[in-house]
């Protein structure tokens, strides 16, 4: 699949966070299936780091990018042991989501 960026990202996320991707399928087989716990609905921090790492390696290929991505993954795994916050995506999501999706409060104010 040369040139297919979406397939590359999906394969990278499945390889990097395989347990998170298979957990909903295992729960479904055991009879404890919750659709909201799927990685597609609410991706974990590991999945987000895999997506960022894959896109960085695709758009900026090179040794320095590889070292930066490996350092990013090491910081993600070692950070909680040192008390460092790992989820850098939450502040960005809090600022970006209302701009892209809108807020429910704005719709209620328009109705009144």
């Amino acid at each position: 699949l040369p040139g297919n960026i979406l397939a590359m990202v999906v394969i990278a996320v499945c390889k990097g966070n395989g347990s998170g991707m298979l957990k909903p399928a295992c729960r479904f087989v055991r009879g404890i299936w919750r659709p909201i716990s799927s990685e597609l609905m609410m991706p974990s921090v590991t999945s987000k780091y895999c997506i960022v790492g894959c896109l960085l390696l695709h758009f900026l290929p090179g040794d320095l990018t590889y070292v930066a991505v490996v350092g990013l993954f090491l910081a993600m795994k070692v950070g909680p042991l040192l008390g460092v916050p790992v989820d850098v995506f939450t502040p960005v999501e809090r600022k970006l989501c209302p701009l892209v999706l809108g807020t429910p409060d704005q719709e209620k104010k328009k109705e009144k």
Side-chain angles (χ1 to χ4, degrees), residues 74-86:
L74 283 174
M76 179 190 63
K77 292 296 183 183
V78 177
L81 297 174
L82 303 174
V84 177
V86 178

Side-chain angles (χ1 to χ4, degrees), residues 31-94:
I32 312 169
W33 184 58
R34 292 174 285 182
I36 197 68
S37 68
S38 173
E39 286 285 324
L40 297 174
M41 298 297 286
M42 292 177 24
S44 65
V45 177
T46 308
S47 294
K48 294 174 188 176
Y49 272 106
C50 288
I51 292 169
V52 168
C54 177
L55 292 175
L56 280 174
L57 287 171
H58 178 73
F59 290 117
L60 301 170
D63 294 336
L64 186 60
T65 307
Y66 178 76
V67 171
V69 169
V70 169
L72 191 70
F73 283 122
L74 283 174
M76 179 190 63
K77 292 296 183 183
V78 177
L81 297 174
L82 303 174
V84 177
V86 178
D87 191 7
V88 297
F89 298 104
T90 302
V92 174
E93 290 173 354
R94 285 188 186 146

Side-chain angles (χ1 to χ4, degrees), residues 13-35:
V13 171
C14 288
K15 186 168 177 71
N17 192 19
S19 63
M21 294 294 174
L22 288 178
K23 198 178 297 181
C26 294
R27 287 181 181 159
F28 179 72
V29 169
R30 289 185 303 211
I32 312 169
W33 184 58
R34 292 174 285 182

